[in-house]
Amino acid sequence: MSATPVVTDDPTQQAYVATVDGTTAGIAEYRRAPGSVTFTHTQVEDAYEGTGIGGALVRAALDDARERGETVVPQCSFVAGWIDRHEDYRDLLQAE
């Protein structure tokens, strides 16, 4: 399956939502605070596992955080691992 997701921010759900042909394929839940966003959970629906939905979802969410000037706290292991593998996004990490 080669699916190109559309990723949108749904602030009412506090989640970025990836849809494919109008069907929810994955979500990245978050909490926002002034100047930062904490990613708490990422889930890809079983039918879309291994299709790149998770990566596209995280990339879009992090690109949005960058545009907003936010730092990122990756509590979710999927987001943390993705950032670890894509060093061009490490500058978004909130300093400890």
Side-chain angles (χ1 to χ4, degrees), residues 6-90:
V6 173
V7 178
T8 55
D9 180 15
D10 183 346
T12 60
Q13 288 188 45
Q14 295 188 64
Y16 287 89
V17 180
T19 58
V20 175
D21 297 328
T23 300
T24 299
I27 60 166
E29 296 173 345
Y30 64 80
R31 288 188 321 268
R32 279 210 156 80
S36 71
V37 59
T38 300
F39 289 95
T40 58
H41 179 70
T42 302
Q43 181 175 335
V44 173
E45 295 299 322
D46 291 344
Y48 296 96
E49 285 285 335
T51 65
I53 295 293
L57 178 60
V58 171
R59 183 181 301 276
L62 295 177
D63 286 346
D64 189 49
R66 188 183 304 281
E67 284 182 28
R68 293 171 181 255
E70 295 172 324
T71 58
V72 170
V73 179
Q75 286 183 347
C76 167
S77 60
F78 185 85
V79 174
W82 194 93
I83 291 171
D84 192 49
R85 291 186 307 278
H86 297 85
E87 69 180 55
D88 50 326
Y89 284 86
R90 291 185 194 154

